[in-house]
Amino acid sequence: MVEAAAILRGGGLVAFPTETVYGLGGLASNPRAVAGIYRAKGRPSFNPLIAHVADVAAARREGRFDARAEKLAAAFWPGPLTLVLPLAETASVCDLARAGLDSVALRIPANQAARGLIAAAGGPVAAPSANISGHVSPATPAHVLADLSGRIDAVLNGGACPVGVESTIVALLDDSPRLLRPGGVPRAEIERVLGEPLAGVEVEDESAAPRAPGLLASHYAPRAVVRLNADSLWEGEAGLDFGGRFAGAPAKVLDLSPEGDLAEAAANLFTMLRALDASGIAHIAVAAIPDEDLGEAINDRLRRAAAPRAGAGPAAA
């Protein structure tokens, strides 16, 4: 921990565990460190990063909190919720980390090691998922090293991430709170705390500058072609199952949750996608998953994994 914090303070990059996925951290106030994150990930520089902070006091120095933000922070922080807020006058998150926006994406992770690292680093830590941009997100240290070995300075080993999908992102920039990305906190829980509905999820065009992390249409993508809502396997496909729907299929099949448990499916999503992709299979069929509770976040990631990628050939469409 001490060594990892020193690396961050010196402008280096450290992958660290959160309850969602592993993040690739650099000091959010240091443009050179942030540029290093973009370089290591091969990430478009216009895509803003989430700034992770150790406590609410630190978050208030970065973003302007209204009554809605205070409610959500009290209910879900530390935890898998990111708030996109107007930038505070006292903010230290650099322009590059915000992609030039006058807003900032903030989160307090529930993982104690993550919060300890952030506190020891002495400021907000910008931390997208610790993988090559567009690849399947990392839920274990091995996933991080598979993508980023030789590109970053250290990995803080915290074992497997229990939530397994990224944080929910909610924007509080005007009168209408908006769900920008479903994730580890279900929409219904957020709406219950707010006492009002969230405006819908947005998927932005690849050529547009996104207003928050995770909004590119093609994201979380394996190399294989992904086919969604499959009720059987076609010849040459591997299967990503849910609830035993592909039981008895002769092809390679991994089941996100044989019992149909959405929390288990979320925790297994990226690990199983990576495992199927690593087998060299060219096509992955995914069973239908209920679009409710954590299923909304799972389906969001799967739609992005299946989206055509700019400049990609047929094998990556």
Side-chain angles (χ1 to χ4, degrees):
M1 176 78 73
V2 172
E3 182 181 354
I7 290 170
L8 290 175
R9 291 194 300 272
L13 304 182
V14 175
F16 62 94
T18 77
E19 73 279 17
T20 58
V21 298
Y22 273 73
L24 176 56
L27 274 188
S29 59
N30 184 335
R32 290 180 66 87
V34 173
I37 293 173
Y38 289 131
R39 187 180 304 113
K41 285 179 62 69
R43 183 184 180 98
S45 60
F46 54 75
N47 200 352
L49 305 179
I50 295 173
H52 294 68
V53 294
D55 52 42
V56 175
R60 292 193 184 107
R61 290 192 290 271
E62 303 299 326
R64 299 205 307 270
F65 277 64
D66 60 15
R68 300 170 303 176
E70 295 287 357
K71 284 182 181 179
L72 293 178
F76 300 114
W77 279 357
L81 175 68
T82 293
L83 296 179
V84 180
L85 304 175
L87 193 68
E89 292 182 1
T90 54
S92 64
V93 177
C94 70
D95 183 77
L96 183 60
R98 294 182 286 103
L101 300 174
D102 58 1
S103 58
V104 63
L106 298 168
R107 182 164 97 85
I108 302 176
N111 183 286
Q112 289 185 342
R115 294 201 307 278
L117 176 64
I118 295 162
V125 173
S129 55
N131 57 298
I132 296 296
S133 186
H135 284 192
V136 179
S137 295
T140 69
H143 296 163
V144 175
L145 292 172
D147 270 17
L148 299 179
S149 180
R151 294 172 176 242
I152 63 177
D153 298 298
V155 179
L156 188 62
N157 188 345
C161 301
V163 175
V165 293
E166 290 86 350
S167 61
T168 304
I169 302 179
V170 172
L172 300 173
L173 300 175
D174 51 35
D175 291 340
S176 298
R178 181 174 293 278
L179 180 64
L180 297 183
R181 181 181 75 183
V185 179
R187 175 203 296 262
E189 293 185 23
I190 296 168
E191 291 177 336
R192 176 182 55 78
V193 170
L194 285 176
E196 61 179 308
L198 292 167
V201 177
E202 293 188 356
V203 176
E204 301 197 4
D205 185 86
E206 290 281 357
S207 63
R211 292 184 290 107
L215 293 186
L216 293 179
S218 175
H219 210 64
Y220 317 107
R223 289 179 291 272
V225 176
V226 176
R227 181 170 67 92
L228 303 181
N229 298 316
D231 53 15
S232 62
L233 297 183
W234 297 346
E235 185 176 354
E237 287 184 325
L240 187 63
D241 204 356
F242 179 76
R245 298 179 186 184
F246 297 154
K252 181 176 179 61
V253 173
L254 296 178
D255 198 324
L256 291 168
S257 175
E259 303 301 321
D261 183 283
L262 289 171
E264 181 183 21
N268 287 332
L269 176 62
F270 291 132
T271 295
M272 289 187 175
L273 262 180
R274 279 181 174 270
L276 290 175
D277 208 34
S279 72
I281 196 75
H283 296 81
I284 299 172
V286 183
I289 294 170
D291 202 35
E292 60 190 30
D293 196 57
L294 283 175
E296 184 179 21
I298 295 168
N299 283 321
D300 172 81
R301 303 311 189 274
L302 288 170
R303 282 191 294 270
R304 295 171 194 267
R309 276 153 271 171

